[in-house]
Structures are given as C-alpha cells and as structure tokens.
C-alpha cells in the first residue's frame, strides 16, 4: 500500500508526463474521475448532480504553473467557469488551487488574481474554496485567506487532518467555512501523522470540534465508517443539518452519494474538469488501491 501510494504520488509530480497527458485526452480511465475537458461537459455533469439534490464544487484543473502567462490563462478560465455557473443557474461553487493562479510565481501577483476571482464570485453570491495543497504552500494559502476575508466572506479553505498543526489552525478559523479532509499528499513525519489509524482518529476529532461550533463545515470523505460516526454524533448532539455537508469526489461511491442526499443530508460532489487532469488523477490513484480498479474499468469500457 505504502509503495503504491509513493509511486503514484511521484508520478503526479512528473511535469513531462503531465504535458503528455494533455495530448491523450481523458484516456487511461481518467474519464471516470474527471467530468470532461470543457465547460459544456462539466455543466452537463453538474446539472445531473443537481437533479439528484446534490450540489457541486467545481475545480478547473491546472498545476505546474510557473509563469505569469500560464497563471493569467488559468485565472481567465476560472472566471469563465464562474460566469457559466451563473448563466446555467446550477447549484455549484468553485474550488481553486493557488499555485494554478501564480502562487509559485509571485505572492502579490497571486493575491491580485484571487481577489479578482473572489470579486467576480461575490457578485453572484458564489462561494470560493481555496484548495489546500502540500505543506510547503500551507502557510501562504492561509495568509492569502486572511488577506481576503475582510472584503470577501465568500472565501474559505481546507484543513488536512494528517497535519499536526491542524487543530491549532482550526482555532484561528472558527468563523470560516472549511472543508475537512484526511490529506492527499505525502508529507514527512516531522509535520504529519503517518498511520491510517492516527489520521482517522484525528480526522474525527477535528470534525467533532467543528460541528460543536457555528461555522459551516464540509466533511470530505468516502470512508463509510467515518460517515456513520458523524451521523451518530450529529444525532446525539442535535447538530442542525444546515451546519454541515458531506462531500465526495466525482465518480466515487456514487450510490452512497445519492443515498446520503436522499436521507436529507446536504451533499456536494467535487467535480474536476479540464485539460490538466493528470496530476489530480495520479493523486486519486495514490489514495486508495480500489481507485486503480475504477480506472481500469474506465479503460476497458472505452
């Protein structure tokens, strides 16, 4: 399991393979996990989810951005997606990686880009979630979040349960809408928990801390044991259902997604799309061996 995870994490960071993947299109089974390469495709997928009572958070995929030109193109693509959400009248918001819009180019340049995006989204009352990336980008992501919050309360971020510092970060984010996840990057033992049991325990601890507060929380997991524990906790503590939602990734455990929505829980599906699907796809394969089987079924069904 550990070797498999490390292998796919290493592949996700290979820029040469990422460039080649753009030429392949959504082959290699990625079409099972990515909702197409253009806005029309993703809008169709979101409408199908909405018809089942499921919201969407849309990720216009893009990584390995190291120039202002690339970052500006990515920003424009995100702005077009925000316009599409409004024009199509879908129930959706945006998830954005700051490296995609220039965090590795220049901090101030990235801040200007995300301000423009947050302003456009605020005009339509659309929420913007700053996706959390690897540990090297964590503090800068939080710094940008706090720089935005005074003017744009429609912006939140992600907390990763495998990091030691996450509980302390929650203390500073009590009034911010957050998504809680276990964590999908490979981090060193100095900064993160390493065993599944420890990560699961901390994940549940952070979830319960948040649910006792007042800010909205997205609980992002495919783990039915975690989900069942959350359902039990909210019932025993009379936690209002409008204070939280469950989230899962597009293409994963689709029946459970429908069931949770049908049970009356708020539910959002993380819907990625675009040409830069490769790194996202590799991290999904790294997370769970079962995802490899899903990808293989996608190849066979072509």
């Amino acid at each position: 399991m550990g070797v498999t995870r490390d292998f796919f994490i290493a592949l996700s960071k290979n820029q040469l393979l990422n460039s080649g993947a753009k030429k392949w299109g959504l082959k290699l089974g990625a079409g099972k996990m990515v909702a197409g390469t253009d806005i029309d495709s993703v809008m169709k997928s979101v409408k199908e989810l909405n018809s089942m009572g499921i919201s969407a958070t849309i990720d216009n995929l893009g990584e390995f951005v190291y120039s202002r030109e690339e970052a500006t193109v990515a920003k424009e693509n995100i702005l077009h997606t925000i316009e599409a959400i409004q024009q199509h009248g879908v129930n959706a918001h945006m998830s954005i990686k700051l490296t995609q819009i220039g965090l590795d180019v220049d901090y101030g340049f990235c801040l200007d880009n995300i301000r423009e995006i947050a302003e456009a989204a605020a005009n339509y009352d659309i929420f913007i979630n700053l996706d959390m990336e690897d540990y090297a980008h964590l503090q800068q992501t939080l710094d940008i979040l706090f720089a935005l919050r005074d003017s744009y309360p429609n912006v939140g971020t992600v907390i990763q349960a495998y990091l030691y510092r996450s509980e302390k970060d929650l203390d500073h984010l009590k009034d911010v809408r957050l998504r809680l996840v276990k964590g999908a990057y490979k981090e060193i033992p100095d900064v993160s928990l390493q065993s599944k049991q420890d990560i699961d325990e901390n994940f549940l601890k952070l979830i319960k801390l948040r649910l006792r507060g007042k800010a909205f929380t997205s609980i992002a997991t495919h783990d039915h044991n975690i989900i069942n524990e959350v359902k039990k906790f909210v019932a025993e503590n009379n936690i209002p259902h409008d204070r939280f939602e469950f989230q899962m990734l597009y293409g994963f455990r689709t029946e459970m997604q429908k069931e949770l929505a049908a049970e009356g829980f708020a539910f959002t599906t993380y819907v990625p799309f675009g040409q830069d699907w490769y790194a996202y796809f590799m991290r999904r394969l790294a997370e769970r061996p079962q995802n490899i089987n899903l990808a293989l079924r996608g190849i066979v069904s072509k």
Side-chain angles (χ1 to χ4, degrees):
M1 173 63 179
V3 174
T4 301
R5 175 182 167 81
D6 293 351
F7 173 71
F8 283 108
I9 288 290
L11 288 181
S12 76
K13 298 177 180 179
N14 189 304
Q15 295 181 48
L16 182 63
L17 290 176
N18 181 68
S19 298
K22 294 179 183 178
K23 302 174 184 176
W24 302 331
L26 291 178
K27 298 177 183 176
L28 303 183
K32 289 286 186 181
M33 306 179 195
V34 178
T37 57
D38 56 34
I39 286 178
D40 287 343
S41 297
V42 74
M43 287 298 122
K44 179 181 178 183
S45 296
V46 171
K47 288 175 182 177
E48 290 173 357
L49 291 168
N50 287 174
S51 71
M52 296 180 283
I54 296 173
S55 181
T57 181
I58 301 173
D59 180 3
N60 194 331
L61 294 168
E63 301 186 46
F64 306 111
V65 174
Y66 300 109
S67 74
R68 288 175 179 262
E69 292 76 17
E70 290 174 309
T72 299
V73 169
K75 178 194 71 176
E76 293 300 326
N77 288 338
I78 291 166
L79 290 171
H80 290 321
T81 308
I82 290 171
E83 288 293 331
I85 290 172
Q86 173 66 14
Q87 291 169 5
H88 286 263
V90 293
N91 182 359
H93 65 267
M94 292 293 299
S95 286
I96 297 168
K97 286 180 172 57
L98 290 176
T99 56
Q100 185 183 10
I101 55 171
L103 187 56
D104 287 331
V105 178
D106 179 79
Y107 179 91
F109 170 67
C110 178
L111 181 56
D112 288 342
N113 283 339
I114 193 62
R115 281 190 193 277
E116 186 177 345
I117 290 167
E119 177 71 27
N123 289 336
Y124 299 134
D125 195 26
I126 293 173
F127 177 66
I128 296 293
N129 200 76
L130 305 181
D131 274 357
M132 194 58 72
E133 302 180 64
D134 60 6
Y135 189 80
H137 294 98
L138 187 155
Q139 190 56 54
Q140 285 183 309
T141 300
L142 292 180
D143 291 344
I144 286 178
L145 172 70
F146 288 122
L148 293 171
R149 285 287 300 173
D150 286 343
S151 301
Y152 303 105
N154 63 314
V155 178
T157 192
V158 180
I159 292 297
Q160 301 171 111
Y162 63 2
L163 298 178
Y164 294 124
R165 62 174 284 177
S166 290
E167 184 173 351
K168 185 176 292 185
D169 286 332
L170 285 188
D171 288 338
H172 302 295
L173 297 164
K174 289 178 180 177
D175 299 324
V176 180
R177 175 173 173 174
L178 296 178
R179 177 195 300 146
L180 299 185
V181 302
K182 292 185 184 181
Y185 295 85
K186 180 175 174 57
E187 303 292 357
I188 61 174
D190 289 354
V191 301
S192 71
L193 299 164
Q194 300 293 306
S195 77
K196 181 182 184 305
Q197 180 178 343
D198 288 344
I199 294 169
D200 286 356
E201 288 176 359
N202 200 47
F203 189 35
L204 272 170
K205 179 182 179 182
L206 299 183
I207 290 168
K208 292 174 181 179
L209 281 172
R210 279 288 294 189
L211 291 178
R212 289 190 179 98
K214 295 182 179 179
F216 190 81
T217 303
S218 300
I219 301 164
T221 182
H222 304 107
D223 188 332
H224 61 275
N225 293 316
I226 298 285
I227 291 169
N228 288 337
E229 183 67 24
V230 171
K231 289 164 72 173
K232 178 182 176 183
F233 178 79
V234 298
E236 291 175 347
N237 292 274
N238 298 312
I239 306 293
H241 282 202
D242 62 0
R243 195 181 294 170
F244 72 97
E245 69 178 6
F246 290 111
Q247 286 193 9
M248 291 185 190
L249 299 171
Y250 178 81
F252 294 84
R253 309 205 77 162
T254 54
E255 290 307 313
M256 184 181 289
Q257 294 191 28
K258 296 175 189 175
E259 289 168 7
L260 286 167
E263 288 174 26
F265 291 102
F267 197 95
T268 291
T269 299
Y270 188 99
V271 183
F273 82 104
Q275 297 288 342
D276 284 328
W277 52 268
Y278 168 80
Y280 171 86
F281 180 49
M282 288 298 125
R283 285 197 299 276
R284 299 295 78 80
L285 295 183
E287 284 174 347
R288 298 171 71 240
Q290 299 94 316
N291 295 350
I292 300 172
N293 296 330
L294 180 66
L296 290 173
R297 288 199 298 272
I299 296 171
V300 171
S301 65
K302 296 286 183 192

